[in-house]
Amino acid sequence: MDDETIGILRSSDTIGTLLPTAAFFLRMPFQPARQLIDAGCAIALASDFNPGSSPSGNMNLVVSMSCIQMKMLPEEAINAATLNGAYAMGLGNATGSITLGKKANLIFTRPVPSLAYLPYAFGSDLVDRVMIAGEFI
């Protein structure tokens, strides 16, 4: 992405979706998340889960790689993986945040010392419980 492309994305209503695990698996450069955010672009994070480019749907790893390799702050990465991801799929009015009237699709973690611990502990399974549409599964 060059400065012109970033400017076009910034002035559009498109949410650029970054795929750090695909870049990792395909041995490609990571996407310029920090440059996009600093330019005012809206970005989402996804795994691109498929056997050809990213055979892992592990969103914990996506968030970690985004922070470690793409210079995102933990808050930015979690927002990009949840609310911005929902809006990128046209579902932002129903999912993606804890908001009255939205579906209660939630991941509950084991106790962690801070939000920054989530991307830091990339090899740890911190998920304790999962709730989909208000029901624990």
Side-chain angles (χ1 to χ4, degrees), residues 17-22 44-49 54 56 59 62 66 80-81 85:
T17 303
L18 311 182
L19 310 168
T21 52
L45 293 172
S47 71
D48 192 33
F49 183 36
S54 184
S56 172
M59 286 302 293
V62 168
S66 300

Side-chain angles (χ1 to χ4, degrees), residues 20-80:
T21 52
F24 171 76
F25 187 76
L26 296 172
R27 298 180 183 168
M28 297 172 66
F30 286 93
Q31 297 88 25
R34 180 81 270 137
Q35 187 179 358
L36 290 164
I37 292 168
D38 290 348
C41 297
I43 62 168
L45 293 172
S47 71
D48 192 33
F49 183 36
N50 75 72
S53 64
S54 184
S56 172
N58 186 331
M59 286 302 293
N60 294 335
L61 184 59
V62 168
V63 169
S64 293
M65 282 187 169
S66 300
C67 294
I68 296 165
Q69 296 294 326
M70 298 175 7
K71 301 179 180 137
M72 293 178 75
L73 299 174
E75 298 84 353
E76 292 169 333
I78 291 167
N79 183 73

Side-chain angles (χ1 to χ4, degrees), residues 1 5 8 13 16-17 42 52 57 63 66 73 80 87 89 94 96 100 122-123:
M1 295 194 76
T5 305
I8 292 168
D13 59 1
T17 303
V63 169
S66 300
L73 299 174
Y87 273 102
M89 294 184 290
L100 188 63
F122 65 89

